[in-house]
Amino acid sequence: MTDTGTSLFATALDQFNRGAEIIGLPDDLRSILSQPKNEIIVNFPVLMNNGTYRVFRGYRIQHSNLLGPYKGGVRFHPMVDLDEVKALASWMTWKSALCDIPFGGAKGGISFDPTALEADELERVVRRFTHALGTNIGPDHDIPAPDLGSNAQSMVWMMDTYANSTGATERQSVKRIVTGKTLETGGSPGREKATGQGVVFCLQHWADEVGFDLSGATVSIQGFGNVGSATGKILQVHGARLVAVADHAGAITDEDGIDAFELADWVREHGSVAGFPKAMWIDEEDFWSVPADLLVPAALENQITAANVGRIQARVVVEAANGPTTLEAEKILEQRGIEVLPDILVNAGGVVVSYFEWLQNRSAQRWDLEDVDFKLREILWKACDQVVDIRSELGIASRRDAAYGVALRRLQVVYQQRGIFP
Ligand code: GLU
């Protein structure tokens, strides 16, 4: 459950059902795709530095592997629970299908606050979680990646633990068990900024379509972690102006523009936007009413709600986070003519570059950053084109419904050709 008390999986199912409806997905496929294939829960003990053992609960939800291995991040956050991870896992299936990359969908997580642990405790948690998952994950079976609260270092610990649990002859070939690793241990150039880069590519495509000038646009961003900060920096390079930022500590604004690079350094050092000297501190609630062309939620789910949607003055909501808009809020945005660029399209850059990392690991290659960015743009623009096409083919306004339509058609064709075993 989310902190607003609603089921995130119910939101995900509602979105799925609307997409299924518009393309006429047969009922049997609807029932199959309405549930994850596997729900794995592990409880495991970890030695804390005070000498006691703490039992952690971890999850890995494998939603679909029709198009390829299960794929998706692991989230370390106190709010992680079965309902949330099920929703996030299903969104991974649609993301990969929409981008036409050969992956299925999965998500995992551990319900705890990683910032409250010492580094060595955190390492033991990650390694013990990986060990507890055992052969439920695998380099061609289920491939984790970073998500909220986890990072490249967590992935390296997962990879090392997994590699050391396999036979000596396989130790090198299993590197692709996780993506989002550090460059030195087999990560891909461009993976760290990939989600933010993807957000900007999708925005460029949208701007081109609707005749909007991104250079000179004003932007407000909620969440200034990996995704929010990368998005802010890249948009700034393209001439946009960051006018407001909010995170767990509060919100800041400056209509002349906040330097995204300086703010990212500040947040890295101080853990939040609090105290950033070159902007004005505002009430968190007032963040939503700061006038900005682009509103980019890049934090947790269910942030744009019936309670704050009326204050939003943006032209477009850009869902860099997964599931940031509640169903009710989305209806109100539609009525008010504010567009929503949906999460499964806009934030898919992360998993697309994960796919590139996996390919590089398979062939023991290292691509250039230019190659990665070029191929990422190609894949995302193709997906954006298909969303535009299906909107006009089916005469629908919602870009989310359209994105689901493209993804679900792809799954439908494969189900039709493969059939359902036995
Ligand atoms: N956690 C990211 C997401 O939600 C990336 C997943 C991946 O790279 O597998 O899309």
Side-chain angles (χ1 to χ4, degrees):
M1 292 294 163
T2 66
D3 56 356
T4 52
T6 47
S7 157
L8 196 64
F9 190 57
T11 299
L13 271 184
D14 189 278
Q15 295 172 347
F16 162 73
N17 280 321
R18 283 206 321 262
E21 197 63 40
I22 60 157
I23 63 150
L25 192 72
D27 285 347
D28 49 3
L29 297 188
R30 277 199 209 196
S31 344
I32 293 170
L33 290 168
S34 291
Q35 288 297 330
K37 277 184 104 167
N38 304 310
E39 301 178 16
I40 300 148
I41 300 183
V42 290
N43 296 304
F44 54 93
V46 176
L47 180 63
M48 297 286 101
N49 287 345
N50 65 6
T52 62
Y53 282 88
R54 179 171 156 193
V55 178
F56 290 81
R57 173 162 292 189
Y59 303 85
R60 188 68 182 169
I61 303 302
Q62 299 171 331
H63 178 262
S64 168
N65 63 349
L66 185 76
L67 302 181
Y70 299 111
K71 183 79 189 87
V74 285
R75 175 171 289 203
F76 300 159
H77 193 276
M79 246 170 64
V80 164
D81 67 9
L82 185 60
D83 176 77
E84 181 192 45
V85 187
K86 275 168 71 175
L88 293 165
S90 68
W91 284 327
M92 290 309 304
T93 301
W94 321 138
K95 251 183 245 189
S96 295
L98 171 59
C99 292
D100 202 12
I101 57 173
F103 282 151
K107 201 78 164 204
I110 309 173
S111 170
F112 78 120
D113 177 5
T115 62
L117 297 194
E118 301 291 335
D120 57 337
E121 292 175 323
L122 183 60
E123 175 173 352
R124 288 196 292 275
V125 171
V126 174
R127 286 187 182 275
R128 188 64 204 248
F129 175 52
T130 311
H131 185 261
L133 289 175
T135 53
N136 287 303
I137 56 171
D140 293 307
H141 171 56
D142 183 352
I143 306 140
D147 197 75
L148 206 88
S150 59
N151 57 24
Q153 178 62 69
S154 341
M155 294 307 109
V156 178
W157 288 329
M158 287 191 84
M159 184 263 279
D160 186 72
T161 307
Y162 189 89
N164 278 294
S165 318
T166 61
T169 54
E170 281 159 55
R171 217 153 275 171
Q172 301 307 323
S173 64
V174 298
K175 263 190 187 163
R176 63 183 193 279
I177 175 65
V178 286
T179 57
K181 301 179 289 290
T182 60
L183 265 184
E184 296 78 8
T185 60
S188 175
R191 176 61 186 85
E192 209 178 333
K193 65 159 182 145
T195 308
Q197 183 66 69
V199 170
V200 177
F201 284 147
C202 290
L203 263 171
Q204 286 172 334
H205 192 280
W206 167 83
D208 205 43
E209 181 200 338
V210 303
F212 179 83
D213 185 9
L214 266 188
S215 67
T218 48
V219 191
S220 54
I221 300 183
Q222 190 211 24
F224 218 66
N226 172 294
V227 178
S229 64
T231 305
K233 288 193 232 176
I234 301 168
L235 281 173
Q236 182 171 315
V237 170
H238 285 283
R241 187 154 42 96
L242 183 59
V243 292
V245 178
D247 70 8
H248 61 273
I252 55 174
T253 186
D254 185 346
E255 60 176 299
D256 294 331
I258 299 166
D259 188 286
F261 290 84
E262 285 182 22
L263 182 62
D265 290 344
W266 177 272
V267 172
R268 198 172 313 112
E269 215 177 300
H270 299 87
S272 76
V273 301
F276 184 64
K278 296 188 180 170
M280 200 172 78
W281 189 249
I282 48 169
D283 202 64
E284 214 188 315
E285 283 309 299
D286 293 334
F287 165 79
W288 300 104
S289 38
V290 173
D293 301 312
L294 320 173
L295 171 61
V296 185
L300 281 167
E301 53 266 10
N302 282 352
Q303 298 301 300
I304 301 178
T305 65
N308 60 24
V309 68
R311 311 179 69 173
I312 292 174
Q313 305 191 45
R315 163 149 190 193
V316 61
V317 170
V318 187
E319 294 188 330
N322 290 307
T325 315
T326 66
L327 297 171
E328 275 173 294
E330 185 161 13
K331 276 192 205 120
I332 300 171
L333 288 172
E334 260 168 38
Q335 285 158 9
R336 294 185 53 206
I338 299 173
E339 289 220 61
V340 176
L341 303 188
D343 47 8
I344 60 168
L345 175 64
V346 153
N347 73 30
V351 71
V352 172
V353 178
S354 277
Y355 168 51
F356 298 158
E357 180 174 331
W358 186 76
L359 286 177
Q360 290 170 72
N361 291 165
R362 271 180 83 119
S363 54
Q365 285 179 16
R366 161 78 43 87
W367 300 359
D368 292 336
L369 178 60
E370 292 71 33
D371 272 357
V372 169
D373 282 347
F374 179 81
K375 291 188 166 89
L376 172 63
R377 193 178 59 194
E378 230 177 14
I379 287 184
L380 289 178
W381 280 6
K382 196 169 148 210
C384 291
D385 282 342
Q386 287 168 342
V387 169
V388 170
D389 289 350
I390 201 171
R391 267 177 101 210
S392 60
E393 178 202 325
L394 301 176
I396 49 172
S398 157
R399 288 175 194 268
R400 191 188 313 282
D401 291 355
Y404 272 78
V406 174
L408 294 178
R409 270 191 180 164
R410 201 155 268 139
L411 287 150
Q412 182 183 2
V413 168
V414 176
Y415 266 118
Q416 273 164 351
Q417 292 179 5
R418 287 178 63 158
I420 293 162
F421 180 79

